[in-house]
Amino acid sequence: MKKIALLSLLMLSLNLHAAEREWTPYKKLIEGLRLDRFYALPAAERDRVNLFLKVQPVNKNYKPSDVVLTVVDGNERTPLPALTKDFRLAIGAPNPKWMNDDVKIMTSLPKEDKSAVNYEAVTPLPEGLQWPYATVMGSVGQMNKAIKKMAGAMSMFAPSVDVVLFKFDKPAQLKVGAKAYNTNAKNEIALKPESDLLKTNPMIVVSERPYEAELRGE
């Protein structure tokens, strides 16, 4: 099952400077990955999607803690959030103050080490062990509409997401009405939205709470 990679994959490697080096201008990263377009959408058109950047060093020997990213604006230095265990960066909405060519993002990685950058998205789950079907599975349609608006004139070439991938810490079961789904060897359940269920909106019931519900393409 492939991860979504919207638009083009960025391979970033710039000049070495002391113990850190310039990675990319902040504005270039935001506009190149269309993050400005995503956050320009009305909140109601993105409220079922949490968007992350995946910053994956090509060198697999690096750990997330090895990748330190810092925004430099003149004499001001602002560390970006630490990468998660999955190399995700919760970069959040664009900072208008940094949207100029002089603001750079610095990286702790050496000059010869590049990083692949793409998107990963999850849908926030309501509290508890059961939720209305449309609340969760409607995130697939919302993400695909957002992708097309982010891509603009290139929307016909934009990828799409197809499933919600529920990730558990241990074997679990998920039920939609009378139909039950069991986790695979990775403790995951991939569920495709079904139009009739989006209309009738039954409850999704899980035996264990998943730690994440990721939006994926097949």
Side-chain angles (χ1 to χ4, degrees), residues 54-64 66 87 113-114 116:
K54 176 106 173 188
V55 183
Q56 182 69 63
V58 174
N59 185 337
K60 302 301 183 183
N61 292 321
Y62 283 116
K63 304 184 298 292
D66 294 326
F87 289 90
D113 286 309
K114 297 181 180 181

Side-chain angles (χ1 to χ4, degrees), residues 136-147:
V136 177
M137 300 307 296
S139 60
V140 172
Q142 187 181 82
M143 184 71 224
N144 285 330
K145 289 179 181 178
I147 290 171

Side-chain angles (χ1 to χ4, degrees), residues 93-104:
N95 185 335
K97 180 184 174 184
W98 294 341
M99 291 296 287
N100 66 75
D101 295 333
D102 295 328
V103 178
K104 312 296 183 183

Side-chain angles (χ1 to χ4, degrees), residues 167-181:
K167 302 178 182 179
F168 299 85
D169 287 319
K170 57 184 178 180
Q173 187 177 79
L174 180 152
K175 290 185 177 180
V176 181
K179 191 168 185 178
Y181 303 84

Side-chain angles (χ1 to χ4, degrees), residues 143-164:
M143 184 71 224
N144 285 330
K145 289 179 181 178
I147 290 171
K148 289 186 177 298
K149 290 184 178 181
M150 292 164 71
M154 300 295 289
S155 62
M156 69 177 65
F157 302 108
S160 61
V161 298
D162 304 290
V163 302
V164 178

Side-chain angles (χ1 to χ4, degrees), residues 39-58:
Y39 285 102
L41 295 173
E45 295 183 18
R46 52 180 173 85
D47 61 344
R48 298 178 188 177
V49 177
N50 289 337
L51 200 60
F52 298 89
L53 293 187
K54 176 106 173 188
V55 183
Q56 182 69 63
V58 174

